[in-house]
Structures are given as structure tokens and as C-alpha cells.
Amino acid sequence: MMNPRLLAISGSIEGMTFSLNKNEISIGRDKTNDIRISDRSISRRHCSIKRNGEMFSIIDFASFNGTFVNGATVKERTINQGDQITLGDIRFLFFQYEAENESIPKSVEFGSDINIGSTIRLERKDAIYLNPLQTLRSSSTNDETARNLSILLELNIELSKLRDLNSLQLATLKAIFEALPATRGAILLIEENLQNITATFSQNRESGNDQPLRISQTIAEQVVNEKTAILCQNVETNSAYNKAASLVGTQTNSLLCVPLTIAEKIAGIIYLDTNNPAQSFAENHLQFLTAIAGIVSIVLENIKHLEWLNNENQRLRQTINLEHNMIGESEPMQKVFRFIEKAAPTEATILLRGESGTGKELVAHAVHANSERTAKSFIAINCAVLSENLLESELFGHEKGAFTTAVSQKKGKIEMADGGTLFLDEIGEMSLTIQAKLLRVLQEREFERVGSTRTIKVDVRIIAATNRDLESEIKNGRFRQDLYYRLNVVSLTMPPLRLRRQDIPLLANYFVTKYSQKCKRKVSGISKEALDLLANYDFPGNVRELENAVERAIVLGNSDIILPDDLPESILESSNFEMPLMEYQKAVNEMKQNLILKTLRQTNGNYTEAAKILGLHPTNLHRLIRTMNLKHLLKQ
């Protein structure tokens, strides 16, 4: 029975299933997609899956991370039952037909066993190779022990280079097959017990891993529960084991099973068996496999910790992106988003232009976050707020003694951004001298610290921003033309807020949520009249001015919604209701001032008590006093 669907098997949406019940299903981050995935590794419009009768194909939309089927990058390709589809950090299984068991195919199966005892058991404290002093003092130290120690050292070096579980398991079984006479091998990773298996991996020495390995559940449980390694010889004739169906079915002659231990907790097992009577496992094999398990356990712990760090890093980056994310659904903002999607994966220098407060730094952050440099530093500096000498020192750094106050060596912003992105805000304010030095960085990717002759090489992407007309600055001799051409490789002019008025309600409500939480004052929204005033105002200060207006309204307002009289006078004065609103605003402000002054005099200047009487948070009362300039009146 046909039931086409995608099952997410890894990534931020692991475990989710998506039905493919239309002739064409689009996938991406944008809300217009049929399957919307809010993951930064997915493009806004990543790909689509098309159906033609009983045939399905996947089409990539020039996504920045690409579309992969069974590990191969594709532009358009037919997909079949069981194919793995990878989009960014998300991996899916494609199911075309209904199946009796829809779970991910397993590489091992448990057999039905009886309760058994072990032939040879080995506890960790008795493992020779895990106790170096015991190994050196042992009378049994011989050429074989020396060879085994050499193999373990090489394996340790090889495994320490790995950074993912699949590579670790593959390399481990490969090394085991080279050193031990195993026919089959499996690695099971668990959480707490065998009922909670997180990963399985198996191989057959001769046929690879084309079919699941059937292992003894009784032995596996004994190893996990007792934290003890087990060797069983002559399985078919051993009275304790010969009734175990899983062993008889696979004609097992002998087996080894050892625990993977992390901080005294069982994290998994390594299971080996052999069906060759001439090459049965011996006690020295048990000792050797226990040593391998000890090495694998350490690497496994490191990989798990690395995965946790990567996941935590991704979570924190997503939190930062949410807080600084650009908000807008207008066509001008859609063009900005499309620019970021195309420019971010490249190494091109970017020049961002536009009025102050339009969000140029947010675009720079977004470009960095969507680039291959995202794991490295994003360093920003405002060229307008520093003098020429200070800006030179901040950008290039200085050596100790380079000038009077240089009491120690200091790295500059360019050096700190090595491998990452450097954002130069207000580039038009930079002096011609520093412009010449910056040009060298762009051309040669090298510079010297102030007071030094040593050349420092850097790998840095530069994003510059300005609200000036650089072409006019060039004509007037205030900006270098050659630097302009180096910066203006890819350019974007940010739209002012007055050209995307439909975004004003979205932005205003976002700021209401943000500042009502920050100011600890419950404000549920904006009245229709206040929203109309905001929507019809030109906002010369753009988004920054809108943000300040909303924050001011929340601090000064008294109701649970923002009203017209809570807005700044500049917005009220620009409206068609100027006179009535101005008179009303003036009366309301005078009433607020008188009420606050009266209450504070009543409480003898006790801010906490006054705030309680007024029904305000003390912090908000302090802000009101500061905003309404009442301090000098309190002293009278």
C-alpha cells in the first residue's frame, strides 16, 4: 500500500514524520513551504519532492548547504523506498510504501536465551592492559604482550582523530578483525540498560554488514548488569549455553562480550563471536578486547561530550539569532533575506548602505551566522566613536611602548577576527591614513601592529557599513576610491522603515513583548489608534526610533495596552490630530507629574513605598522620574 512520507532520523526534528500527500511538496525555513523546518542549516526554500504517478523525485532549489541522496549531492533525482535524504543538518528516510515495521533497520537482533553462567569472567581490576604497572611486572609479559601493546597504542592514536560515532565504531571493528579471529562483531551503545539502545553497529568479516547480527541477550544482559567481561568457549557443547537458540542458530563456537564503561557507568558493549573451531577465543583475547574497550570508552566519552558541546553551541546560536533576528514580511525585507542567503556562503567583501537604524549590523550578524565562518568570531567596531589614533590601535593592535599609554601588547580587532568576520560600522568616518592601512588588509590580508615591524597574516572576511554617500565623499577627497572598489564587491542598501510600513505592526508588537518582560510590566499590546499613529509616521530614525518609542511608552504608560498619549510628542505632532492630542498629552503628563510628586512627599521620599502606593515596580518609578525630569522638583 502506497503511503509516501519522510521520517527525520537525525537533527533538530529527529523522530518527526511528514506526509507527502500532494503532487509537489516544498521544504524550507520560509513559512510559505509545505514542510517548514526552523533550522538554520536549511535554506528558506531548500528543495521540493514531486510525485508523478508512483514515481517520486527530489529537486534542489540552489540551497546553500545542498541536497543529498544517500550521501551524493543532487540537483534533481528520482528517489526510492529507503533512500536517505540529507538537508543541512537534517537527515530523512524516504518511505514510499506501507511497511509492517517502520522503525529504522537495526544492525543487531537479540536472541531468546536461557539463564546462563559464564565460562571465564574478567573484572576491570584484573584487566592486565588497563593496569600498566601490572602489565610490566607480570611474569607473562612476552612478545605477544609487546605486540598487543603496540597495536593498542596505534589504535589509540587512530581513534583519537575521530569526531563521530559511526567512524569510531567502524574503525574499532576494523582493528578488532585485524587482531582477533572473530567472524562477526557488534557494538551496542545504551542509556541505562539494554531496553534503551541508542545506536547499534555490526559487521561480518566476510559479508560486511548486509544482515543483522543475532546476539545472545542473556550474555549481553549479564555483562551490562555485572559490569564484567565474559569469554565463552565451546558454546555448542557447553551445558550452560547449548540451549541458547541465538547461539545455536548462528553456529557460534565461542564468543566474547565486554562492557564500554564511562565514569563507572555502562555506556555499551562490544560483542564478538566466531564459528571456526580451529580459531576459538582464548583468555588472552578477552584481555586484549577489554583493553580495546577501555580505549574506545575514552574516545566515546570525548565524542559524546563534543556532540553535546556542538548541540549546546547550536542552541545558543539559535537563541542569539532569535533575539537579533530581523523582522519583516514586506517585499523590501524579502530582498534583504534573499541577499543574505546568496551572499553568506561566499567569501565576498560586503558593503551595507542605508540610513541609521535600518539594521545594517543585524544583516552583518546574519551573514556571519549563515557562512562557513559561523563557528569563529564576529567582531564589530564603530569607526565613528573613536579618534584616529585610538581607532588605529583598536583595529591593528599595538606593541608595548608603542606610545605613552601602551603599557602592554594588545591584539587589534582585525587579529581577533582571524578566521571569522570583521564588521566595520560607519566606514565613511575613517581617516584617509587608516583607510590606506585597511586597503592593504583587504588586498594582502596582512598588517603590522602599531609600533611593530612584524607582518601578521590574517584570514578575515570584512563587512563594512555606512550611511554616507561614499561617491560624494570620493569626489570631495574624503574617501579613497581604491578602497571603495575593494569594499563594494557585493553591496546592499537597507530599506528605511517608511518604505516598508507593513512591517511596523510586526516590529512594534515584537518590541512590546521584549520590553514588557525587560521592564517587568504587563503590556498586552497596542491600541488601534496608537498603531495607526505609528504606521503613518515616517520614522527618520527608522527601526531604532520605533524601538525607543515603544520602550518609552511601556515605561511611562499606566494601562495594559499602549495608548496614543503614551507615544513620543514627535509622533503625535506629525499626526492629523495634532492639537487635540497635544492638549490631552500635556494634561496627562501634568497629572502624572503631580501624582508622583504628591506620593513621594507623602512617603518622605521613600521610593519603594511610593511605588507600592502607585502600583508600580520601583524600577519603573525611577525611570519615570528620570524621563519626566522630576528630580529637581523633589528637592523643592
Side-chain angles (χ1 to χ4, degrees), residues 6 45 78 112 149 170 309 347 358 377 379 401 477 545 590:
L6 292 175
R45 284 183 54 79
T78 300
S112 175
L149 287 171
L170 185 64
L309 288 175
E347 290 294 309
T358 51
S377 299
I379 304 295
E545 184 181 2
E590 287 180 357

Side-chain angles (χ1 to χ4, degrees), residues 540-555:
N542 294 293
V543 179
R544 189 178 294 124
E545 184 181 2
L546 172 60
E547 182 175 5
N548 291 341
V550 173
E551 182 181 13
R552 176 188 184 278
I554 289 174
V555 172

Side-chain angles (χ1 to χ4, degrees), residues 365-606:
H365 271 288
V367 168
H368 175 75
N370 287 281
S371 72
E372 293 183 358
R373 297 175 178 266
T374 183
K376 298 293 185 178
S377 299
F378 176 90
I379 304 295
I381 184 170
N382 190 324
C383 304
V385 299
L386 299 172
S387 65
E388 180 178 344
N389 290 337
L390 280 176
L391 180 59
E392 182 181 22
S393 176
E394 282 295 309
L395 275 176
F396 302 99
H398 60 251
E399 295 293 340
K400 182 179 180 180
F403 44 86
T404 306
T405 57
V407 296
S408 62
Q409 185 190 77
K410 176 185 176 182
K411 286 186 178 181
K413 301 292 188 185
I414 295 173
E415 194 172 350
M416 290 166 62
D418 189 25
T421 303
L422 176 67
F423 176 60
L424 301 173
D425 200 7
E426 304 297 349
I427 190 76
E429 307 296 329
M430 188 179 284
S431 71
L432 291 171
T433 302
I434 299 181
Q435 287 179 34
K437 291 188 174 184
L438 179 61
L439 178 63
R440 183 187 173 200
V441 175
L442 285 164
Q443 290 176 331
E444 309 296 337
R445 291 298 190 269
E446 64 182 28
F447 68 96
E448 288 93 30
R449 295 194 189 114
V450 177
S452 172
T453 58
R454 184 173 69 89
T455 298
I456 298 174
K457 291 280 188 180
V458 287
D459 170 25
V460 62
R461 181 181 192 174
I462 292 180
I463 302 175
T466 183
N467 59 6
R468 290 200 174 204
D469 183 350
L470 292 185
E471 289 79 5
S472 297
E473 296 293 295
I474 291 171
K475 289 180 182 179
N476 295 327
R478 290 192 290 266
F479 202 84
R480 294 180 63 110
Q481 188 175 40
D482 48 4
L483 177 60
Y484 170 77
Y485 289 132
R486 283 289 181 180
L487 291 172
N488 196 34
V489 177
V490 180
S491 178
L492 171 69
T493 300
M494 291 296 294
L497 192 54
R498 62 183 175 275
L499 296 183
R500 55 183 189 107
R501 293 184 187 276
Q502 72 183 84
D503 293 332
I504 291 176
L506 291 172
L507 288 161
N509 281 291
Y510 168 76
F511 293 136
V512 167
T513 302
K514 176 180 178 180
Y515 286 104
S516 63
Q517 293 175 353
K518 184 177 180 181
C519 298
K520 297 180 180 178
R521 182 168 173 265
K522 293 182 179 179
V523 179
S524 58
I526 309 173
S527 70
K528 183 181 183 302
E529 294 77 13
L531 202 55
D532 287 342
L533 288 171
L534 293 174
N536 289 300
Y537 180 59
D538 280 344
F539 284 103
N542 294 293
V543 179
R544 189 178 294 124
E545 184 181 2
L546 172 60
E547 182 175 5
N548 291 341
V550 173
E551 182 181 13
R552 176 188 184 278
I554 289 174
V555 172
L556 297 179
N558 291 316
S559 65
D560 60 352
I561 62 171
I562 294 177
L563 300 172
D565 63 286
D566 297 323
L567 299 176
E569 292 180 5
S570 58
I571 296 177
L572 298 176
E573 290 173 353
S574 68
S575 71
N576 295 327
F577 309 96
E578 178 182 344
M579 290 307 295
L581 280 172
M582 282 305 296
E583 292 297 326
Y584 178 63
Q585 176 77 11
K586 185 177 179 180
V588 169
N589 282 341
E590 287 180 357
M591 183 184 71
K592 287 181 179 178
Q593 290 177 12
N594 292 333
L595 181 60
I596 290 172
L597 290 171
K598 180 182 177 181
T599 307
L600 280 169
R601 286 166 183 156
Q602 179 184 333
T603 60
N604 295 320
N606 188 319

